[in-house]
Structures are given as C-alpha cells and as structure tokens.
Amino acid sequence: MEEDTKPILVPVGGDESNYGIMNIQFNPEDYKCKRPFHVEPTNIVSENDDMQRVTDEASAMNKRIHYYSRLTSPADRALIAPDHVLPAPDEIYVYSPLGTAFKVDSCTDGYGKNSSLVTIFMIWNTMMGTSILSIPWGIKQAGFTSGIILILLMGILTLYCCYRVVKSRQMIPLTDTSNWEFPDVCRYYFGSFGQWSSLLFSMISLVGAMIVYWVLMSNFLFNTGKFIYNFVHDINVTDIVPGTNGSNKVICPSAASDHPPQNRSVMFSSGNRTGFELFEEWWDKSQTVPFYLIAVLLPLLNLKSPSFFAKFNVLGTVSVVYLVFLVTVKAVHLGIHLEFNWFTENEFFVPEFRILFPQLTGVLTLAFFIHNCVITLLQNNRNQENNVRDLSIAYFLVGLTYLYVGVIIFASFPSPPLSKECIEQNFLDNFPSDDIMSFVARIFLLFQMMTVYPLLGYLVRVQLLRQFFGNAYPSLFHVLILNLAIVGAGVAVARFYPNIGGIIRYSGATCGLAFVFVYPSLIYMISLHRAGQLMWPTLIIHIFIILLGLANLIAQFLL
C-alpha cells in the first residue's frame, strides 16, 4: 500500500472488552504476514499520550523493507522481508477500514479471537443508525405491503453485494491481499480513479451522516429543552397541531403545512407570559438551536484524538434497544389500525402500493450500508469459514429490527382520527415534547449522537486531509477550516431544509451507487472475465444490479 495515503494511527486494546472506533475490535489475521510501516510519533494517537511507539531500529528497518518492496511487483515475494528481521510484535501496525491503521497490542496465532456471536453483534451494532427513525415514514411512502416487500428485497440485495465485497480480495491472483480493504481492491482494478472515487463516495456518506446528525441533534435538543423548561416552570403547554386525546397522545405536526413545523405553542399558566414568549423566541428549532450546538461540538471536532468518545458507543446499542421498547409499549396502548386498499387512497389510509416507493429504497440503501468496512469486521472472526453465515445472520437481525420498528409504528398509528400521511420522517416527532418516554429516547439519542459526531468528523479529517497534506492534522488552521465547513453545512440544512428523510435518501443512494451496486458487481465481472469464466447469465444479472443502483439514485431527485 502507498504509505502517503494512510491516515493516522489509533490504538486498540488487546482484550475483547477494549474496542476501537465505532465499537470495532481489530486484531491481525496473522501478524507474520503483516509487514510493518512507520509513522512519525507526532502522528500517533495514544490514549495515554505516550508518543514514542516506534523505536529508531524499527523505523530504520521499516524504511529498508519499504525500499526493497518497491523494487518488485506485489506478486513477487522474492524481496519480502523474512520474519526474523521484523520488529517486535508490539511495534507492528496493521491496516483497518477506510485506510485507517491500528496498532497491534497482542498477537495470536491464526485469525482474530472474536466469536461468531460477537462478530454478528458488531455488524448489527455498526449497521444500525439514524435510518431506523425514518423507516416508518418510508413504509408510508411506499405503502404498507410494498414497504415490507422492499425491506426484504433490499436486505437480500445489499447482503449479496456485501458478500461480493467480502469475496473480492480472493478473486485477485498472485497477490497477498490479506491486509487489504475494499478501497484497496478498487484501486487494484480501477487505478487512481478507484482510489479517488472511493474517497469521494466515502466523504458523501460521512458528511451526509454528519448533516443528518446535526438536524436530529437540533430536533432532540429543542424538544428536550422545551420539556425541561415547561417542567421546571410548571407550564402546561398545548401544541397547536392536530392530535389524539388521552395519556398516549399522538400528534400530526405536518397537518397544517407541507413544511416542517416550528412547534409553536399555546400556554396555560399563571406564570409570566412574557418570560415564556421570550423563551419561545430564543429557543426555536430552526432559528436558534442549530447555532447553539456549535459552541459544544466545534471544539470537540478540533481534538486530535477521538478515542475518549469511542468509549460511549455502547449508547448506540442502548438507544436502539430502548426504541424497540418504546415502540412496543406505544403499540400496546394504541392498538392496531390497518385498512388494506391496494391502489386507492382515502382520508385516513394510504394504498398498499405507491409510486413514491423509491424514497424507501433510498433510505434502505443507507440503512443496510456497511460495505466499506465489512472486511475488517469479518477478518477478526475466529472461525473464518463462518464469515458468510455470520454476515447473513447479522443482516437478518438488522432487517428484522427495521421491520419490527417500521411495521409496528405504521400499524399502531391511530387512523382514524389521524391520517397515516401524518407519520413523520422522524417518528419521534409524532409524540409531543411532554411525552415522558419520547423525552427519554431523545436524551439517549442526543447524547449518543454528540459522542459519535466527533468520531465521524475525525474520519472525514483523516481521509481528506491525509490525501492532500499527507497528515491528518497538518495544523489547527486547516482542521478548523474543514470543521467550520462541515458545521456550516449542518447548520444551513437544519435551518433551511430539516428534512432527514431526504438527506438520508440522497446520501444513501449516492454512496450506495458506488459501494453497494457498481463496484462489487464490476469487480466480480472483471475478475471472472480475466479468468475466462464470465458467463452471459452472470453478466446480465450484475449489469441489472448496477442499473438498479443507478435508477435508485435518479429516482431520489425525481420524486
């Protein structure tokens, strides 16, 4: 691999309880086959600030290894350094997803030590994200029956493409690809175009996720602050939106307008009305709250190491589990409200099939997206022969989670008196700010997103600045300019276009076009063609997959 395309190092612990970024544990398949590389100590991130991680002897030996390795092609192993000249195991680094490099703290014979159960859980935990909040809205856009079918079909299709990614390294002959990631495979087949295009689409997925996070954090912070203010001042607030009555109230914020509501309220209290109106003026979901987040998140984005925030990623699992619990409790209290009409729409229900179904496929492309890091997740599996099985089980569990949340929210939405069209792009918006269970969910999600957001910013910084400056932290000025651009995009979208369903669709369909549909299929066809094994049925099927991805992207801008 080219040394100048690798981002900075992140330390990883040696036991199962110590995880790296995004709750991913990294261990080499076989440390003897991992050739070391040297990164200056100033570029090494360490939790204990111990910057001297590479000895002078190891650095000198590494430079000689790199020099000799470039004298021959990658397929020629004649000048590969023998094992006895390698640095000690605690001085070896291995490559990880998206080009990130990780320090090896302990080496074991054979593959990584994660069991199949841990591997399945890691894939499930990594794949579950903010898309789950938009699944009920996507089912409403597609129609109940067609929505369920699309979730199943998209799960199967993305699983197959992910399988092709996992197998892509094995299709390369006469080359040691044991420490390659999928971007390296793309670079092998498509040269610099593959390298830069994979970087571009990776940036789209990461920046798109950061914008979605900013919109959601603004939403959650607004509703959380509103709940706390009303509770502290003993204010009884009635939202000026249609809704059901009773203790399990459901509201329809978009009933009065096609634009996102501002959640204006009427107050009934003996307190100071002027104070409440002043609070409403300075605590506005789109006018002020998105700017308040800058004071908290911009300093965190400028930190060199995100290792502290990685400790809180377990909150992602807690948030998803709590959302499933919330959905179940709400469904028990609200009951089931379904009526089947295949093509006709009435006042309260939507047809089973709607022409807007590509909006769901766009959301699902991002919801099932793990293709750019699945190789690393699976290479730590203790039983490598179970990789396909474990990946399939993980996809099944992810699809089951999406189906459960989406179907239950859609089916239990009280129609009548409200129309199914009232289901919001973030289904938590269908519960008022004074709903206790929704308040707890927003607190969980807000804190989780505030810890994940710096990690996403770190990945953007590592991939982008490393490409242009050879250093992930060239200076505070460069990092600050990049982070201001990212934060500015988040604020602008939260201010003028707080449409998380649209953002998820666009980013999912765009990055999915490359990593999910085009690259895995093209690489498989090219490898078969070079081996003289490409058959017409295989060619037609994979061209069809590519066309599906292209149609999925185009449809997002037409609907």
Side-chain angles (χ1 to χ4, degrees):
M1 294 185 181
E2 292 292 339
E3 188 174 279
D4 59 355
T5 62
K6 300 302 165 193
I8 65 179
L9 302 179
V10 181
V12 176
D15 56 73
E16 288 190 358
S17 63
N18 195 350
Y19 291 95
I21 289 180
M22 308 306 287
N23 262 3
I24 301 174
Q25 179 185 359
F26 297 100
N27 225 14
E29 298 177 0
D30 181 356
Y31 83 89
K32 291 182 179 180
C33 71
K34 308 293 186 183
R35 293 311 182 234
F37 60 92
H38 173 62
V39 176
E40 294 298 330
T42 54
N43 292 335
I44 299 178
V45 176
S46 173
E47 294 184 13
N48 57 11
D49 294 325
D50 180 13
M51 305 304 289
Q52 188 62 36
R53 290 294 190 90
V54 180
T55 64
D56 293 337
E57 292 80 7
S59 174
M61 177 60 68
N62 178 74
K63 292 176 181 178
R64 288 196 291 272
I65 291 172
H66 278 294
Y67 172 73
Y68 289 125
S69 66
R70 289 169 179 167
L71 295 179
T72 60
S73 66
D76 188 352
R77 303 179 64 88
L79 293 181
I80 289 183
D83 295 331
H84 71 273
V85 304
L86 295 180
D90 60 349
E91 295 169 354
I92 295 180
Y93 297 85
V94 296
Y95 293 106
S96 298
L98 298 176
T100 306
F102 288 77
K103 181 174 173 58
V104 179
D105 285 347
S106 63
C107 296
T108 57
D109 293 333
Y111 290 101
K113 57 183 178 181
N114 290 339
S115 65
S116 289
L117 182 62
V118 172
T119 301
I120 292 169
F121 174 76
M122 287 166 56
I123 295 174
W124 177 87
N125 188 48
T126 305
M127 209 183 309
M128 297 299 298
T130 56
S131 301
I132 192 173
L133 298 173
S134 296
I135 295 295
W137 171 81
I139 292 179
K140 181 256 294 185
Q141 296 299 95
F144 183 64
T145 302
S146 55
I148 294 175
I149 295 174
L150 283 174
I151 292 176
L152 296 175
L153 292 179
M154 285 295 293
I156 294 172
L157 179 59
T158 52
L159 170 60
Y160 172 74
C161 294
C162 199
Y163 166 78
R164 292 265 61 96
V165 171
V166 173
K167 294 296 184 180
S168 61
R169 297 187 304 175
Q170 303 174 13
M171 306 293 290
I172 300 176
L174 304 177
T175 303
D176 180 13
T177 61
S178 57
N179 60 345
W180 283 25
E181 297 298 332
F182 191 57
D184 301 308
V185 177
C186 294
R187 181 169 53 190
Y188 173 86
Y189 282 99
F190 307 115
S192 60
F193 172 79
Q195 174 185 350
W196 287 100
S197 60
S198 63
L199 173 66
L200 172 64
F201 289 110
S202 179
M203 288 295 100
I204 291 174
S205 65
L206 289 172
V207 174
M210 295 183 74
I211 292 175
V212 171
Y213 271 40
W214 199 277
V215 174
L216 287 174
M217 286 187 293
S218 301
N219 182 306
F220 297 149
L221 181 60
F222 169 79
N223 284 285
T224 300
K226 186 177 179 181
F227 176 91
I228 295 175
Y229 181 89
N230 294 340
F231 179 80
V232 170
H233 293 84
D234 193 24
I235 296 176
N236 180 20
V237 175
T238 300
D239 294 305
I240 311 179
V241 289
T244 60
N245 297 319
S247 57
N248 290 282
K249 187 174 182 179
V250 178
I251 61 176
C252 183
S254 58
S257 173
D258 291 332
H259 301 285
Q262 298 304 312
N263 283 10
R264 308 306 298 177
S265 307
V266 172
M267 178 192 67
F268 300 95
S269 172
S270 58
N272 187 346
R273 180 178 176 84
T274 303
F276 180 79
E277 291 178 342
L278 187 63
F279 169 77
E280 289 262 287
E281 179 182 352
W282 288 95
W283 195 256
D284 187 277
K285 183 160 61 175
S286 62
Q287 302 288 339
T288 59
V289 173
F291 293 93
Y292 297 155
L293 287 171
I294 298 177
V296 178
L297 294 176
L298 185 59
L300 300 181
L301 285 175
N302 293 322
L303 296 178
K304 281 190 175 182
S305 171
S307 57
F308 172 76
F309 303 103
K311 303 177 187 296
F312 296 96
N313 277 320
V314 68
L315 289 175
T317 303
V318 175
S319 300
V320 174
V321 172
Y322 181 79
L323 282 177
V324 172
F325 172 73
L326 180 149
V327 166
T328 304
V329 172
K330 293 293 184 182
V332 170
H333 287 93
L334 294 172
I336 302 300
H337 305 267
L338 287 175
E339 180 178 304
F340 295 92
N341 299 296
W342 281 102
F343 300 104
T344 59
E345 185 171 355
N346 60 36
E347 182 181 358
F348 299 108
F349 298 93
V350 297
E352 299 305 299
F353 173 82
R354 305 181 74 184
I355 198 64
L356 299 175
F357 72 90
Q359 295 184 351
L360 176 58
T361 62
V363 171
L364 292 173
T365 305
L366 190 62
F368 286 111
F369 182 71
I370 199 176
H371 300 63
N372 57 348
C373 64
V374 67
I375 291 177
T376 299
L377 290 171
L378 289 175
Q379 74 181 5
N380 294 290
N381 195 353
R382 181 186 303 144
N383 303 308
Q384 290 289 298
E385 67 275 8
N386 296 334
N387 277 348
V388 176
R389 183 202 67 182
D390 296 343
L391 179 65
S392 302
I393 294 174
Y395 259 85
F396 171 77
L397 294 177
V398 170
L400 188 64
T401 306
Y402 289 149
L403 267 177
Y404 182 82
V405 172
V407 168
I408 294 298
I409 286 292
F410 183 91
S412 63
F413 194 84
S415 302
L418 300 179
S419 170
K420 297 291 186 183
E421 289 286 1
C422 291
I423 297 177
E424 292 292 306
Q425 296 178 6
N426 169 12
F427 74 81
L428 289 178
D429 285 344
N430 286 117
F431 303 108
S433 58
D434 60 351
D435 183 87
I436 297 296
M437 292 192 68
S438 301
F439 167 74
V440 175
R442 292 181 180 112
I443 286 288
F444 270 124
L445 290 168
L446 176 62
F447 190 67
Q448 182 238 343
M449 289 181 181
M450 292 183 72
T451 58
V452 173
Y453 190 85
L455 298 178
L456 296 175
Y458 171 79
L459 293 176
V460 171
R461 184 211 314 166
V462 162
Q463 295 182 54
L464 197 60
L465 297 186
R466 189 76 177 182
Q467 291 290 336
F468 290 100
F469 299 100
N471 189 332
Y473 205 98
S475 70
L476 178 60
F477 173 77
H478 292 92
V479 173
L480 184 61
I481 292 298
L482 174 63
N483 291 333
L484 283 174
I486 296 174
V487 168
V491 171
V493 173
R495 172 69 179 84
F496 299 106
Y497 187 72
N499 184 337
I500 67 164
I503 304 168
I504 291 174
R505 289 191 296 116
Y506 298 139
S507 60
T510 303
C511 67
L513 175 65
F515 283 112
V516 178
F517 299 105
V518 175
Y519 285 159
S521 298
L522 273 182
I523 287 173
Y524 183 57
M525 289 188 293
I526 292 174
S527 61
L528 289 181
H529 175 70
R530 291 178 178 178
Q533 300 175 355
L534 182 60
M535 308 297 291
W536 277 107
T538 302
L539 179 65
I540 294 174
I541 290 173
H542 289 84
I543 289 178
F544 180 68
I545 291 177
I546 294 175
L547 293 178
L548 283 179
L550 184 61
N552 182 44
L553 175 61
I554 295 174
Q556 307 309 315
F557 297 93
L558 299 180
L559 298 176

